Amino acid sequence: MRMFSYIDPTIRARLVAQGRLIRVDSSGAVLAPDAVSERPGAILNVLGPIPLPMDVAGKQETFKWYAFVRHTELAEANRIADALRGRGEQHLFSVLSNNMSVNSVLVMGDLREAENPLVRVHSCCLTGDVFGSMRCECGPQLQRAFKRIEAERCGAVVYMSGHEGRGIGLWAKAITYVLQDAGEDTYQANRSLGLPDDSRDFSDAATMLLHLRGDKPMRLMSNNPKKHQDLRAGGLNHIQAEPHVTGVNAANLRYLNAKRGWGHLLDLDEINPVDDGKKE
């Protein structure tokens, strides 16, 4: 089966020949370009590295960008693309994004050979990462992760695009905000909608880190013990907890207290609970 029916197959062949488009299994091992599996959901299609100049705290730094998507999701997008092309409706290709969570890894330096690099596995947050919302600490956490990696000249940020609202999606997240404004905390609001407290899946993040780094020591910038547990379950046996507290302000203090009650390692007594709102 072709990997991309909506891109000229000759381009796919060129990318495969260059080693820029590969498939990896759940252990991070490279597979044959057209490999199939009894567990196709465990196969990732990986595109990269792509040089990506970025502004990190006012300085231009170039990271290596890898985009990755599950084979099952790409196959479904492939099927829809074929159907749309057959009906002459290529202008509707935007619906393909509904069937693919294209995630990313941004790498600085030699991740495989580094002694003990910093790593951040970050769940996408449109309101925090893009809009600059102060209802959560996501934006400051992402920015601080890049700053810390830049300071050490090596590390990686894994950006999980399908994790909005701890996995419930942007629309449901917006509704939970309304419920929170009526008095519920972030977890109670999820439960009111009949949704899990946290439905995120970090297995693909673990696969990519195994592919790029191997099962070697890494310092994971996270205050969430569940994230550590999930990544270990994915085969990363040598990750170390690295506290990553930042972005605390009056607007998100109740939210952070709820996270602490749920198990996040947040000692709010040791930090100023109200800052000036500026991101690090």
Side-chain angles (χ1 to χ4, degrees):
M1 178 181 291
R2 289 171 295 164
M3 293 179 72
F4 295 91
S5 70
Y6 51 98
I7 292 178
D8 187 331
T10 62
I11 295 178
R12 179 208 175 221
R14 188 171 72 194
L15 293 172
V16 170
Q18 294 172 346
R20 304 288 287 278
L21 181 59
I22 63 173
R23 290 182 180 179
V24 301
D25 64 17
S26 59
S27 72
V30 178
L31 301 171
D34 293 308
V36 294
S37 168
E38 294 180 358
R39 298 176 57 236
I43 295 178
L44 298 184
N45 295 281
V46 184
L47 179 65
I50 303 165
L52 194 67
M54 296 174 56
D55 184 335
V56 179
K59 295 188 292 184
Q60 179 175 311
E61 299 288 355
T62 299
F63 282 71
K64 297 185 288 280
W65 174 33
Y66 298 84
F68 61 99
V69 63
R70 288 186 177 181
H71 175 68
T72 48
E73 295 183 12
L74 194 55
E76 177 62 11
N78 182 80
R79 184 192 66 78
I80 294 172
D82 281 344
L84 291 174
R85 180 180 289 106
R87 299 198 300 263
E89 296 178 339
Q90 290 93 323
H91 61 286
L92 297 178
F93 272 8
S94 60
V95 302
L96 299 177
S97 62
N98 297 332
N99 295 280
M100 288 196 297
S101 293
V102 182
N103 304 305
S104 297
V105 185
L106 294 155
V107 177
M108 172 178 276
D110 190 340
L111 192 68
R112 185 167 293 277
E113 297 303 323
E115 181 177 350
N116 193 8
L118 287 167
V119 170
R120 169 74 180 168
V121 177
H122 189 88
S123 297
C124 72
C125 176
L126 179 71
T127 51
D129 299 342
V130 179
F131 297 162
S133 168
M134 296 168 62
R135 293 185 69 133
C136 63
E137 81 278 41
C138 300
Q141 283 188 321
L142 181 61
Q143 294 186 19
R144 188 180 183 212
F146 281 119
K147 285 180 63 177
R148 294 180 69 183
I149 289 169
E150 185 274 334
E152 295 194 7
R153 310 307 300 168
C154 186
V157 172
V158 184
Y159 194 87
M160 303 299 293
S161 67
H163 282 188
E164 188 74 55
R166 297 193 303 277
I168 64 175
L170 187 60
W171 183 254
K173 173 182 172 179
I175 297 172
T176 64
Y177 275 6
V178 176
L179 297 177
Q180 289 171 44
D181 290 343
E184 298 185 13
D185 71 29
T186 180
Y187 300 104
Q188 292 168 340
N190 278 34
R191 295 167 200 157
S192 292
L193 296 180
L195 298 171
D197 289 355
D198 191 336
S199 56
R200 291 174 293 179
D201 180 355
F202 293 103
S203 59
D204 291 354
T207 294
M208 284 302 296
L209 289 172
L210 286 168
H211 171 62
L212 295 170
R213 167 72 176 166
D215 185 18
K216 299 196 290 186
M218 288 177 277
R219 289 170 290 151
L220 182 69
M221 294 179 279
S222 174
N223 310 310
N224 184 357
K226 181 181 182 298
K227 188 181 294 185
H228 289 261
Q229 295 166 7
D230 290 353
L231 291 172
R232 290 192 184 100
L236 297 172
N237 299 301
H238 302 286
I239 54 174
Q240 305 165 17
E242 183 79 14
H244 199 58
V245 181
T246 187
V248 180
N249 63 78
N252 64 24
L253 190 57
R254 186 165 69 98
Y255 166 77
L256 293 175
N257 270 308
K259 290 176 72 172
R260 182 173 58 173
W262 198 78
H264 285 237
L265 302 179
L266 294 167
D267 188 352
L268 300 183
D269 294 333
E270 295 183 0
I271 60 177
N272 182 4
V274 179
D275 63 21
D276 61 5
K278 295 180 180 178
K279 296 181 178 180
E280 295 188 27

